Amino acid sequence: MESIEKFSINLPLTPKAHEYARKFASEQSTRDKVKQVYLNTLAVYAVHIFLKWSEVETDLSAGDSWNPVIRRFNNVADLVVPELGKLECCPVLLGEKTISLPPEVIEDRIGYVAIQFQEDLKQVHLLGFISVLAPQELLEPLEFAKLQPIENLIDYLDRLDLAADFLRGDEEVAIKVRERLTDEPISEIAAQLERIYRTYDRYEWQYAGGEFLASYLPTEESVAFRGGTPVMEAQQNNLQDLAKELLEKLDEIWGDNNLEETAPVTAGKEQTNQLITTPRVASIPGMIKLSDWLQNIDSLLESGFQSLETFLNTLQGNQVFRFATAPRSRSAETEETFISVTGVKEIQLSEYCLTLVVGCQLESKQTTGIVLRLYPTGENTYLPSGVQLIVLDESEYVFLEAVARSADNWMQLEFRGEPGERFSVKVALGDASIVEDFAI
């Protein structure tokens, strides 16, 4: 399994982030604690901004990391997502290859986000995240190979939200689970069930789920306690039946495809559903206008692109399968909700032939979704190691970035924009680069 650093997202650290970090760090009494609090604060604020751009609500002030007493005596970098729980934001310095969690953050977390700092602390890389693991796994240093792509964090939070809504509902299986786990927060129950759903085969759900339910022993006062108290065989069978029914209900809610989307990344696995709002900028004449693409597909040719369907017709043999999951224009006969179009352009970068795929979808009058993908072309199976797919804003500042490592056969970036905004797409390898300018 490969490291997923190639899917990291770059984020600038704003003056506001450093303002919080300096204030909190100045309250500490030792040099090590000053450094710890400073980095923890920057990490929390970076994830807060990422989720804000992704339209996920957070509550900075509700976390222990924003509490002066708790952060003074504990190594905490938590960010509260209302109704779902806490994400621990884990600082990673250059050269580090694992994440070691302090004891105080092993419980009461719905996930762990890895944030790598540059030496100048002007920007960070969001390397990925780890959803809830078994308690014993959290006691050991976490390898980067366990990281799921940061693009899938929003999907994970959506899954927890759906599960929490179900567990709060009035279906009999949800009521039974609440009765069993009386004092346990719904968010933690949802996270543990997602872990079982994701890490066990279907036939194992009832056993792993039954063990999870059995680890909480209700007293006569209906208060649940965590522990390893053995249960009678009949009771164990009942818990397994309850777990099986519950996970099958969640399977209906989540759908089979979600299981793949939250798995650790292997080369070529699709990275989808992570959308980030672009900064507001003005349109500039002469750029490729995506609004023209959406109004008239023939305008693709005028901008040097061709439709995905036309491009696929020119491919032979196994090359077609490489593009099987590429974003496609939606058919009016099957999906009338959105207007979308996908353009393809073959490019030459040094000695490498590559294919840039740009998909745009009109989601509303004020929102257009953009999907960018980069593929190898011709006989090449993999992207050249180190090739970068970059989104630049009006000031040519890096807004999103993906970097290919060995054995990657495609990579993707995805975001949202509004009419009149502009951006540039840069494909770079070493000193060679190609830039395409777009206006929404």
Side-chain angles (χ1 to χ4, degrees), residues 39 49 62 77 161 221 274 314 404 414 425 438:
L39 294 180
I49 291 299
D161 191 36
E221 290 78 17
Q274 163 45 33
T314 67
E414 190 171 356
V425 177
F438 296 89

Side-chain angles (χ1 to χ4, degrees), residues 182-391:
T182 306
D183 261 7
E184 196 66 19
I186 292 293
S187 59
E188 183 168 333
I189 299 172
Q192 290 293 340
L193 291 171
E194 194 277 342
R195 173 184 66 84
I196 294 169
Y197 179 86
R198 171 173 39 85
T199 58
Y200 289 89
D201 292 330
R202 179 181 290 269
Y203 73 90
E204 298 176 302
W205 286 352
Q206 67 184 91
Y207 306 108
E211 182 179 354
F212 165 66
L213 295 176
S215 66
Y216 294 84
L217 180 65
T219 67
E220 293 181 358
E221 290 78 17
S222 298
V223 177
F225 288 96
R226 195 70 180 267
T229 305
V231 297
M232 302 297 293
E233 182 176 353
Q235 186 183 12
Q236 187 176 41
N237 291 337
N238 290 336
L239 293 176
Q240 289 178 359
D241 290 342
L242 177 60
K244 180 180 179 182
E245 183 183 359
L246 174 61
L247 286 161
E248 286 178 349
K249 284 285 188 181
L250 291 176
D251 185 43
E252 294 175 8
I253 295 171
W254 288 334
D256 294 335
N257 290 335
N258 287 329
L259 186 59
E260 295 182 358
E261 291 172 359
T262 56
V265 172
T266 56
K269 180 155 286 190
E270 183 176 4
Q271 304 303 305
T272 60
N273 298 322
Q274 163 45 33
L275 302 178
I276 302 177
T277 305
T278 59
R280 180 73 185 182
V281 293
S283 177
I284 291 180
M287 290 188 165
I288 298 172
K289 297 181 179 180
L290 298 180
S291 57
D292 291 345
W293 286 13
L294 292 166
Q295 293 172 11
N296 182 5
I297 195 171
D298 292 336
S299 64
L300 284 168
L301 296 176
E302 299 173 6
S303 57
F305 283 72
Q306 58 182 311
S307 70
L308 178 62
E309 287 73 17
T310 300
F311 173 73
L312 292 177
N313 289 335
T314 67
L315 298 180
Q316 297 179 353
N318 292 333
Q319 290 186 60
V320 177
F321 294 98
R322 186 183 302 163
F323 294 83
T325 61
R328 298 170 181 267
S329 304
R330 298 194 178 209
S331 168
E333 296 179 359
T334 57
E335 297 185 43
E336 300 179 350
T337 305
F338 302 122
I339 301 173
S340 67
V341 66
T342 301
V344 179
K345 186 172 186 177
E346 295 181 82
I347 59 178
Q348 184 76 31
L349 194 65
S350 297
E351 70 271 27
Y352 298 100
C353 295
L354 305 170
T355 299
L356 176 65
V357 178
V358 179
C360 57
Q361 178 174 280
L362 187 63
E363 300 178 355
S364 70
K365 290 183 179 180
Q366 296 299 320
T367 306
T368 298
I370 311 294
V371 179
L372 307 173
R373 287 197 185 177
L374 190 67
Y375 294 87
T377 302
E379 296 181 357
N380 295 320
T381 303
Y382 302 110
L383 290 167
S385 179
V387 67
Q388 298 170 284
L389 178 61
I390 304 170
V391 178

Side-chain angles (χ1 to χ4, degrees), residues 4 35 48 97 99 103 115 141 178 188 238 252 303 380 401 406 440:
I4 68 167
K35 179 180 178 180
H48 161 70
K97 298 299 182 182
I99 304 168
I115 301 96
R178 292 201 303 271
E188 183 168 333
N238 290 336
E252 294 175 8
S303 57
N380 295 320
E401 179 182 22
S406 60
I440 296 177

Side-chain angles (χ1 to χ4, degrees), residues 21-83:
R22 283 192 295 269
K23 180 179 184 297
F24 296 166
S26 67
E27 302 167 354
Q28 311 312 311
S29 57
T30 67
R31 180 176 297 179
D32 287 345
K33 190 64 178 179
V34 166
K35 179 180 178 180
Q36 179 192 97
V37 170
Y38 200 102
L39 294 180
N40 283 350
T41 305
L42 292 181
V44 172
Y45 201 84
V47 177
H48 161 70
I49 291 299
F50 171 72
L51 293 180
K52 180 180 179 181
W53 284 353
S54 304
E55 301 180 354
V56 175
E57 181 185 357
T58 64
D59 189 343
L60 268 176
S61 61
D64 292 340
S65 60
W66 245 245
N67 184 305
V69 176
I70 296 178
R71 68 171 172 258
R72 182 177 181 181
F73 297 102
N74 295 275
N75 183 6
V76 288
D78 60 324
L79 176 64
V80 173
V81 181
E83 304 297 326

